[in-house]
């Protein structure tokens, strides 16, 4: 009898130990606020004018997810993440009908070498360069993204069918890469994606660089490819998209200043995503160079302000003629922490567009809002965020 009790006790201890080595975490962010925008003109609508609305994810993406880790021994872990974006106003999916439209992957993590994951996940631009930009810093700042989020620093889309490697931290240096398969028989390169990036942090200094290329992003003939247009998240419908850039941040006590440069080149452009709807914009090529200066300052442990200025210089080539679109955008955000999980914020954004030569590229279009009916747009929002 004693042997039976001893065996049962030992088995229970092993079960408790095994349970302690595994974890599953529920997490998320809910962001809601009142948003004012002037000259708003929703794509496909005949009306335009001032817009007052309750916005979802105006500053930070509203999302929830599950992530987990199991200790396999020898410094190895099995990991997974399932993440969904949603509209807090009506509960609808943010990525069309996709349950986990932001991320869904499983993989192995080594404490010595790095992590390999498979599934739907973000590219190296999001992982390495975006944290140095105003749109990707911390929980993000969606309104401050570069026009149309043309460089994906605001993680407008993730890569399906992808395999990704992320290194461990080597004294502040990290690197990684991703490959997204087309998953189409007989068309290996049709709607595939690949990217690479690296970053280095040492005390107050942080630097990063990345590259992303997508063949046939958003194309309807391969909706199951790396970047699909069927869920209205692909930024462009084009024959090819290439994006590269670099950035640097430096901290001076409670202040941080940064500079980010990105270059996006689109070949065989067919359409552009504006406020979740595709607007036809056929052309031979579109080039957009983004120059961003950003700053953050902690007034108190609970109160901070951050701002950014971005100049975007473009060139649009078509058979009917060329255009030289340019954008000047200013943003200023004040944030106050009510607790470690809850904060309130107020933000203002101004954008001025020019040189569109009669195309939609000449209309101001602050990220996440209906584009302006003129070359100028102002947006103001007051809201709150809760993290769990």
């Amino acid at each position: 009898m004693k042997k039976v009790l001893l065996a049962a006790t030992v088995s229970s201890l092993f079960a408790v130990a095994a349970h302690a080595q595994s974890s599953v975490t529920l997490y998320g962010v809910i962001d809601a606020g009142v948003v004012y925008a002037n000259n708003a003109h929703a794509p496909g609508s005949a009306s335009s004018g001032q817009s007052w609305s309750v916005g979802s994810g105006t500053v930070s993406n509203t999302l929830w997810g599950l992530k987990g880790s199991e200790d396999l021994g020898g410094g190895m872990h099995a990991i997974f993440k399932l993440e969904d974006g949603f509209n807090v106003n009506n509960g609808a999916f943010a990525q069309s009908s996709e349950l986990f439209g932001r991320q869904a992957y499983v993989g192995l993590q080594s404490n010595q070498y790095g992590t390999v994951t498979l599934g739907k996940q973000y590219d190296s631009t999001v992982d390495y360069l975006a944290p140095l930009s105003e749109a990707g810093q911390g929980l993000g700042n969606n309104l401050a993204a570069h026009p149309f989020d043309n460089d994906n620093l605001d993680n407008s889309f993730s890569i399906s069918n992808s395999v990704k490697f992320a290194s461990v931290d080597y004294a502040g240096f990290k690197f990684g890469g991703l490959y997204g398969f087309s998953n189409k028989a007989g068309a290996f390169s049709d709607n595939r994606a690949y990217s690479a990036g690296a970053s280095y942090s040492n005390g107050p200094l942080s630097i990063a660089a990345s590259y992303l290329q997508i063949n046939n992003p958003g194309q309807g003939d391969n909706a199951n490819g790396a970047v699909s247009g069927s869920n209205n998240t692909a930024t462009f419908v084009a024959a090819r998209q290439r994006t590269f850039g670099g950035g640097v941040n430096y901290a001076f006590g409670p202040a941080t200043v940064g500079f980010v440069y990105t270059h996006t080149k689109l070949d065989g452009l067919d359409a552009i995503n504006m406020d979740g709807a595709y607007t036809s914009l056929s052309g031979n090529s579109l080039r957009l160079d983004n120059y961003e200066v950003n700053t953050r300052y902690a007034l108190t442990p609970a109160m901070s302000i951050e701002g950014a200025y971005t100049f975007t210089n473009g060139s649009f080539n078509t058979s009917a003629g060329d255009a030289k679109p340019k954008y000047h955008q200013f943003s200023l955000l004040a944030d106050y922490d009510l607790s470690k999980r809850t904060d309130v914020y107020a933000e203002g954004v101004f954008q001025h567009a020019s040189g569109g030569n009669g195309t939609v590229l000449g209309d101001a279009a602050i990220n996440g809002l209906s584009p302006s009916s003129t070359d100028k747009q102002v947006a103001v929002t007051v809201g709150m965020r809760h993290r769990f």
Side-chain angles (χ1 to χ4, degrees):
M1 183 65 180
K2 290 182 178 179
K3 291 182 178 180
V4 174
L5 290 175
L6 178 61
T9 301
V10 172
S11 298
S12 299
L13 289 174
F14 275 116
V16 171
H19 178 72
Q21 292 171 350
S22 301
S23 65
V24 176
T25 302
L26 171 67
Y27 67 93
V29 181
I30 300 177
D31 180 333
V34 176
V35 184
Y36 164 80
N38 71 335
N39 304 327
H41 179 78
S45 173
S47 61
S48 63
Q50 295 183 352
S51 171
W52 290 89
S53 62
V54 175
S56 173
T58 304
V59 173
S60 299
N61 294 315
T62 295
L63 58 91
W64 74 277
L66 296 167
K67 59 183 178 180
S69 174
E70 179 188 11
D71 191 343
L72 302 177
M76 293 290 292
H77 304 266
I79 62 171
F80 78 89
K81 178 176 282 190
L82 302 171
E83 188 174 279
D84 169 55
F86 65 96
N87 188 322
V88 71
N89 293 329
N90 55 21
F93 291 123
Q95 289 80 30
S96 187
S97 59
E98 297 181 1
L99 176 58
F100 298 111
R102 289 176 58 84
Q103 299 186 81
Y105 63 77
V106 65
L108 291 174
Q109 182 181 67
S110 166
N111 294 340
Q112 183 177 1
Y113 300 107
T115 303
V116 176
T117 49
L118 300 93
K120 184 179 181 68
Q121 45 203 327
Y122 288 109
D123 66 271
S124 300
T125 297
V126 175
D127 292 341
Y128 297 98
L129 182 57
L132 303 186
S133 70
E134 178 68 9
Q137 187 273 334
L139 287 173
N141 189 344
N142 295 338
L143 292 180
H146 302 160
F148 321 112
D149 192 24
N150 65 82
D151 44 24
N152 205 35
L153 294 183
D154 195 39
N155 55 76
S156 291
F157 62 86
S158 49
I159 310 296
S160 299
N161 321 319
S162 61
V163 179
K164 181 161 73 170
F165 171 77
S167 76
V168 295
D169 190 320
Y170 296 100
F173 176 71
K174 298 183 291 184
F175 64 92
L178 171 146
Y179 188 92
F181 290 82
S182 73
N183 273 19
K184 184 177 181 180
F188 185 78
S189 64
D190 184 13
N191 200 346
R192 67 172 176 176
Y194 49 91
S195 68
S199 66
Y200 176 72
S201 296
N202 185 1
L205 176 67
S206 296
I207 58 176
S210 66
Y211 177 80
L212 167 66
Q213 179 166 324
I214 315 170
N215 294 344
N216 301 319
Q219 297 283 19
D221 57 349
N222 186 14
N224 296 319
V227 179
S228 172
S230 60
N231 60 8
N232 293 327
T233 57
T235 308
F236 303 100
V237 177
R240 182 173 62 179
Q241 176 179 345
R242 290 172 291 177
T243 297
F244 64 83
V248 57
N249 275 189
Y250 196 87
F252 302 87
T256 301
V257 294
F259 172 77
V260 173
Y261 165 77
T262 60
H263 168 90
T264 293
K265 175 70 180 300
L266 295 140
D267 300 310
L269 181 64
D270 287 331
I272 187 170
N273 193 334
M274 304 182 73
D275 192 25
Y278 287 101
T279 299
S280 178
L281 187 65
S282 297
N284 299 325
S285 65
L286 172 63
R287 173 188 57 79
L288 295 169
D289 290 293
N290 307 282
Y291 306 84
E292 176 190 312
V293 178
N294 59 63
T295 182
R296 294 176 288 278
Y297 188 85
L299 297 170
T300 70
M303 179 73 179
S304 64
I305 57 173
E306 55 187 77
Y309 164 70
T310 298
F311 170 62
T312 300
N313 186 29
S315 177
F316 183 46
N317 174 261
T318 73
S319 58
D322 296 342
K324 301 292 182 182
K326 293 177 173 56
Y327 304 86
H328 297 272
Q329 179 170 288
F330 301 84
S331 66
L332 183 63
L333 171 70
D335 185 84
Y336 183 79
D337 293 331
L338 300 176
S339 69
K340 291 183 178 180
R341 294 186 176 186
T342 305
D343 62 313
V344 292
Y345 60 80
E347 181 174 23
V349 182
F350 170 75
Q351 184 184 111
H352 176 221
S354 63
N357 196 23
T359 70
V360 294
L361 296 175
D363 298 330
I366 295 174
N367 187 57
L369 304 178
S370 295
S372 175
S373 56
T374 71
D375 60 357
K376 298 181 181 65
Q377 189 169 41
V378 174
V380 178
T381 181
V382 177
M384 67 176 293
R385 290 179 289 195
H386 179 73
R387 311 160 186 83
F388 60 89

